[in-house]
């Protein structure tokens, strides 16, 4: 659609993102200050912790205590798609989103491919609050279906990026324990065991 309309940029947003009222102006100013850059990312918070950008260590993600606005090497970070402001050219060059990841891990897969084409990105001096789907109230039945979808995507991601296997397995296991405790059901742990 952006190509058909002759647009230069995409701004990727989720329905549960909360932006400061000044965010649009901050994005515009940052892009104006960095006219040669193609990738701009805000600082994403979930409660009090930074969830994006985050560092990559031992194949997994490590949260940052802080990160300064400005240019950073993309080789050292991963980004979630929330608030990502990216040129249409860069989006196309990286191949866009893969249909095999309909939801979970689609942004991480995309950024892995983006890192092969671009060396850096710009952290925008604005913050966004993002709510993860695991925190949305659902019945046990609906949550189990959602968790099964997550595990399917996790299997695909582990297969495509073997270095992430320990991190993804650990993350998936912790989620199964948390959901089992929340819903008083061992079914989530059983679903996790099927994937290992």
């Amino acid at each position: 659609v952006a190509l058909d309309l002759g647009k230069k940029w995409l701004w990727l947003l989720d329905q549960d993102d909360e932006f400061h009222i000044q965010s649009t102006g901050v994005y515009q100013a940052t892009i104006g200050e960095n006219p040669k850059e193609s990738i701009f990312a805000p600082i994403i918070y979930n409660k009090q912790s930074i969830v994006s950008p985050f560092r990559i260590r031992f194949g997994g993600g490590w949260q940052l205590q802080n990160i300064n606005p400005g240019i950073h090497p993309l080789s050292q970070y991963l980004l979630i798609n929330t608030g990502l402001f990216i040129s249409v050219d860069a989006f196309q060059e990286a191949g866009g989103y893969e249909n095999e990841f309909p939801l979970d891990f689609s942004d991480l897969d995309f950024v892995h491919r983006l890192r092969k084409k671009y060396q850096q990105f710009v952290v925008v001096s604005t913050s966004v609050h993002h709510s993860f789907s695991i925190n949305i109230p659902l019945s046990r039945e609906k949550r189990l279906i959602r968790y099964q979808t997550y595990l399917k995507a996790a299997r695909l991601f582990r297969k495509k990026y073997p270095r992430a296997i320990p991190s993804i397995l650990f993350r998936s296991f912790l989620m199964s324990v948390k959901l089992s405790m929340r819903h008083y059901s061992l079914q989530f742990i059983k679903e996790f065991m099927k994937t290992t």
Side-chain angles (χ1 to χ4, degrees), residues 54-196:
F54 58 92
R55 283 198 180 275
I56 309 164
R57 291 179 183 169
F58 311 111
W62 290 69
Q63 286 188 340
L64 304 173
Q65 296 299 315
N66 56 62
I67 185 168
N68 294 322
I71 295 175
H72 293 270
L74 196 53
S75 61
Q76 296 181 22
Y77 297 91
L78 276 177
L79 312 166
I80 65 174
N81 60 12
T82 294
L84 191 64
F85 203 90
I86 183 169
S87 73
V88 173
D89 289 343
F91 188 84
Q92 274 202 299
E93 196 171 349
Y97 290 111
E98 291 284 353
N99 289 333
E100 63 180 345
F101 296 104
L103 182 59
D104 302 291
F105 300 98
S106 60
D107 46 2
L108 301 186
D109 173 63
F110 170 68
V111 174
H112 271 296
R113 287 182 281 108
L114 190 63
R115 293 165 69 216
K116 295 177 181 179
K117 304 288 184 179
Y118 289 84
Q119 296 182 345
Q120 57 197 30
F121 72 104
V122 181
V123 172
V124 181
S125 183
T126 191
S127 61
V128 180
H129 181 267
H130 177 71
S131 298
F132 286 97
S133 59
I134 191 174
N135 298 321
I136 298 172
L138 289 176
S139 67
R140 184 178 69 179
E141 292 73 22
K142 289 183 178 180
R143 177 60 68 191
L144 185 59
I145 293 170
R146 178 68 186 86
Y147 184 58
Q148 289 168 338
T149 302
Y150 171 87
L151 289 175
K152 180 180 178 182
R155 282 196 300 270
L156 290 169
F157 194 81
R158 294 194 324 254
K159 183 177 180 181
K160 193 168 183 178
Y161 303 99
R163 289 187 61 195
I165 288 175
S167 172
I168 298 301
L169 284 176
F170 182 65
R171 179 175 163 186
S172 300
F173 174 70
L174 286 182
M175 189 180 296
S176 75
V177 171
K178 182 176 181 179
L179 292 172
S180 291
M181 293 175 64
R182 181 186 297 175
H183 293 282
Y184 305 103
S185 170
L186 294 176
Q187 190 61 43
F188 297 93
I189 294 176
K190 290 178 182 177
E191 289 296 328
F192 168 78
M193 297 302 293
K194 292 179 184 177
T195 69
T196 57

Side-chain angles (χ1 to χ4, degrees), residues 31-46:
I31 293 165
E33 294 163 2
N34 300 274
K36 295 183 179 180
E37 301 302 323
S38 299
I39 307 158
F40 297 82
I43 302 171
I44 309 297
Y45 289 90
N46 181 26

Side-chain angles (χ1 to χ4, degrees), residues 8-39:
K8 183 178 178 181
W9 297 96
L10 291 171
W11 196 7
L12 307 179
L13 309 171
D14 288 335
Q15 75 275 10
D16 51 1
D17 296 338
E18 296 179 13
F19 286 81
H20 291 298
I21 196 168
Q22 308 96 332
S23 292
T24 304
V26 175
Y27 273 90
Q28 289 176 328
T30 306
I31 293 165
E33 294 163 2
N34 300 274
K36 295 183 179 180
E37 301 302 323
S38 299
I39 307 158

